[in-house]
Amino acid sequence: MKVLRSIQELRKILAEERRDGRSIEFVPTMGAFHEGHLALMHAARRAGGVRVVSIFVNPLQFGPSEDFDTYPRDLEADLEMAEGEEVDLVFAPLAAEMYPQGKPQTRVEVGRLGEILEGEHRPGHFAGVATVCAKLFNVVGPDRVYLGCKDAQQVAVLRQMVRDLNLPVELVQFPTVREDDGLAMSSRNRRLTPDDRKAAASLFRALQAAEAEARSGQTSTAGLVAAARDMLEKQPAVRVQYLEVVHPQTFEPVDRVPPEALLVIAAHVGSVRLIDNIIVGTA
Ligand code: AMP
């Protein structure tokens, strides 16, 4: 496994691989790996081709009062885990390599999909995500990009960008990997105190309560949200930011539950902000 910090070097190696007829399978990440990241690397491995993982905590997608400085970073452990997944190339650029002139003048504008829910609570977040992904896709030139459904709105924003800008990549999405008690794996989980870690499991229990309600025939979104809220009210450590049933492509709120509709949640547990989602719309 090679670890590269330079765009030029990465491009050179990948150009050779491409000339040899190998496909490029790419997993973009911010590091602090857990089983969710490894599942994406594993999927990339099954496709054959060259496996490339990027590790870059992208300053552009963090707001001024967000957790850029405290976001977990552990390159050494990450490299060991990537090696275990037989990753070929890790691209771990410094910010100066990605943004040599500081914040770039040119950004990808993501429109309404990037301004609601996560976008409303994290202004500029999705423009930052889309911009860094556009740059990474240009540098890596992947055939396929592997993404996790935990960040469902992010997947939708990137799908829209790929479509709108005719980017020649296929996006492949994978289900959320969870801890034994259901908590969605996240790099941020390691910042939860032991008590908050226990309370955080209630997010998934709430999503499951709504899903059970949907399976028993509830078609009103208010009914589903109420079932989830009941579960969370018992948890004083959990402060919900949004909890909504949304359309699976537009992420607009819906009154009646369409097929594949998602229940999405963002909540602070102690000082850590977590997100999760579950499909509540039955086909
Ligand atoms: P991050 O390092 O948090 O930017 O995540 C990198 C990629 O891993 C994104 O596509 C995420 O959606 C995905 N990911 C993060 N957590 C999980 C999880 N628990 N299960 C599956 N994929 C995940």
Side-chain angles (χ1 to χ4, degrees):
M1 185 178 82
K2 284 202 179 86
V3 183
L4 299 164
R5 295 220 175 250
S6 137
I7 291 173
Q8 203 187 352
E9 261 179 74
L10 178 68
R11 279 201 160 129
K12 191 163 158 267
I13 294 175
L14 290 175
E16 282 161 18
E17 296 288 1
R18 228 173 272 120
R19 261 198 307 277
D20 292 344
R22 298 182 76 193
S23 69
I24 295 169
E25 313 294 328
F26 180 42
V27 183
T29 81
M30 297 205 298
F33 290 158
H34 50 66
E35 294 289 329
H37 296 113
L38 298 189
L40 299 181
M41 293 177 211
H42 195 76
R45 179 168 153 192
R46 277 201 306 270
V50 191
R51 276 105 34 191
V52 185
V53 172
S54 65
I55 300 177
F56 181 57
V57 184
N58 172 35
L60 217 57
Q61 70 190 65
F62 288 80
S65 58
E66 291 183 358
D67 58 351
F68 176 72
D69 289 334
T70 55
Y71 194 84
R73 291 161 172 90
D74 193 349
L75 186 61
E76 215 171 293
D78 287 350
L79 295 180
E80 213 166 287
M81 288 164 93
E83 181 107 59
E85 281 301 328
E86 294 177 22
V87 167
D88 295 304
L89 294 170
V90 172
F91 177 50
L94 296 175
E97 180 72 359
M98 292 298 282
Y99 303 121
Q101 260 121 27
K103 292 195 170 170
Q105 299 295 312
T106 308
R107 310 264 174 121
V108 177
E109 196 181 308
V110 287
R112 178 153 174 86
L113 179 57
E115 283 158 12
I116 53 181
L117 297 171
E118 277 299 279
E120 187 186 336
H121 292 278
R122 304 187 67 187
H125 170 67
F126 284 124
V129 169
T131 302
V132 80
C133 284
K135 283 168 72 78
L136 288 168
F137 295 180
N138 281 331
V139 169
V140 175
D143 291 275
R144 270 165 295 279
V145 174
Y146 297 82
L147 301 168
C149 290
K150 184 178 83 77
D151 301 281
Q153 194 178 359
Q154 171 170 285
V155 175
V157 165
L158 294 177
R159 277 199 190 292
Q160 175 182 273
M161 175 179 82
V162 163
R163 216 174 28 241
D164 285 348
L165 302 183
N166 302 96
L167 303 183
V169 297
E170 183 191 339
L171 302 186
V172 187
Q173 67 191 68
F174 277 83
T176 303
V177 178
R178 298 181 179 281
E179 302 285 357
D180 289 343
D181 62 2
L183 175 64
M185 290 199 184
S186 163
S187 305
R188 290 185 169 99
N189 291 352
R190 57 178 84 179
R191 289 179 30 228
L192 292 164
T193 64
D195 282 348
D196 291 342
R197 168 65 190 82
K198 268 186 223 139
S202 63
L203 263 62
F204 185 57
R205 285 201 298 276
L207 297 184
Q208 279 184 312
E211 186 201 29
E213 192 76 6
R215 262 192 275 110
S216 71
Q218 174 67 267
T219 56
S220 128
T221 57
L224 301 187
V225 169
R229 270 200 193 279
D230 275 356
M231 190 63 79
L232 292 167
E233 256 150 34
K234 297 168 206 150
Q235 298 291 339
V238 177
R239 283 167 294 125
V240 174
Q241 212 169 43
Y242 61 75
L243 176 64
E244 282 183 49
V245 180
V246 298
H247 187 278
Q249 273 104 42
T250 64
F251 283 75
E252 297 286 355
V254 287
D255 292 331
R256 296 271 138 197
V257 185
E260 305 290 311
L262 292 174
L263 178 62
V264 290
I265 185 168
H268 281 98
V269 183
S271 63
V272 182
R273 185 176 182 278
L274 300 175
I275 60 170
D276 201 350
N277 66 81
I278 197 167
I279 298 175
V280 287
T282 46

